[in-house]
Amino acid sequence: MIVRTLQEAEQTNRKVVDPNNNWDSTRLLLKDDNMGFSFHITTIYAGADFQMHYQNHLESVFCMSGEGEVETLADGKVYPIKAGTIYILDKNDKHILRATKEMKMACVFNPPVIGNEVHNKDGAYELQADVITD
């Protein structure tokens, strides 16, 4: 059994801060936990407006608090996000995420991340074989 607290994980290298100051993400479950997915609590800062394209991962995102929107670039559709909303990037969707109020998100990635990923120039996480430790 694996038991962790968000507060403890935030004090380790499991907390990753976006170098562009759009978000921070505490990775509670990683590749080396051998569950086949990773689980993150991510804060999207108010005013954030950035493009992502997870070419190597599928992601589900549940908004626990805050407000914003997600825009799919393939069709230009804009979906409002508020507490209780889930969006699923099941087609490696290129998208823009905007936060009007700071958003706290629960995120699941498949395949799992190792823990230190930040977005590359295309807005994706690279696939990595290495394992990060506490």
Side-chain angles (χ1 to χ4, degrees):
M1 177 181 290
I2 300 169
V3 177
R4 295 189 175 103
T5 70
L6 177 61
Q7 295 75 21
E8 289 170 346
E10 287 174 333
Q11 304 306 312
T12 72
N13 62 353
R14 288 179 176 270
K15 182 173 183 176
V16 177
V17 178
D18 171 33
N20 297 312
N21 297 313
N22 288 308
W23 54 266
D24 65 63
S25 181
T26 303
R27 284 82 189 266
L28 293 168
L29 195 62
L30 294 169
K31 182 178 182 176
D32 66 348
D33 292 312
N34 296 312
M35 292 295 296
F37 61 91
S38 57
F39 180 79
H40 317 184
I41 299 298
T42 300
T43 302
I44 308 297
Y45 306 145
D49 185 332
F50 60 104
Q51 181 175 305
M52 291 176 281
H53 185 199
Y54 293 120
Q55 300 155 332
N56 303 309
H57 297 84
L58 299 176
E59 182 190 25
S60 296
V61 181
F62 179 77
C63 181
M64 298 183 302
S65 65
E67 293 179 10
E69 63 186 24
V70 63
E71 178 180 350
T72 52
L73 294 179
D75 59 13
K77 289 185 180 178
V78 177
Y79 302 91
I81 299 171
K82 62 181 182 179
T85 303
I86 189 170
Y87 66 90
I88 298 102
L89 303 166
D90 63 331
K91 306 271 189 290
N92 303 98
D93 311 88
K94 186 182 261 189
H95 62 289
I96 296 173
L97 186 60
R98 299 180 185 100
T100 52
K101 293 183 181 175
E102 182 176 279
M103 295 190 291
K104 190 72 76 172
M105 315 290 252
C107 308
V108 176
F109 280 85
N110 183 17
V113 303
I114 65 163
N116 60 356
E117 291 87 347
V118 294
H119 300 113
N120 66 17
K121 66 178 179 54
D122 297 319
Y125 290 155
E126 299 291 340
L127 284 178
Q128 298 184 33
D130 300 324
V131 176
I132 192 170
T133 59
D134 291 331

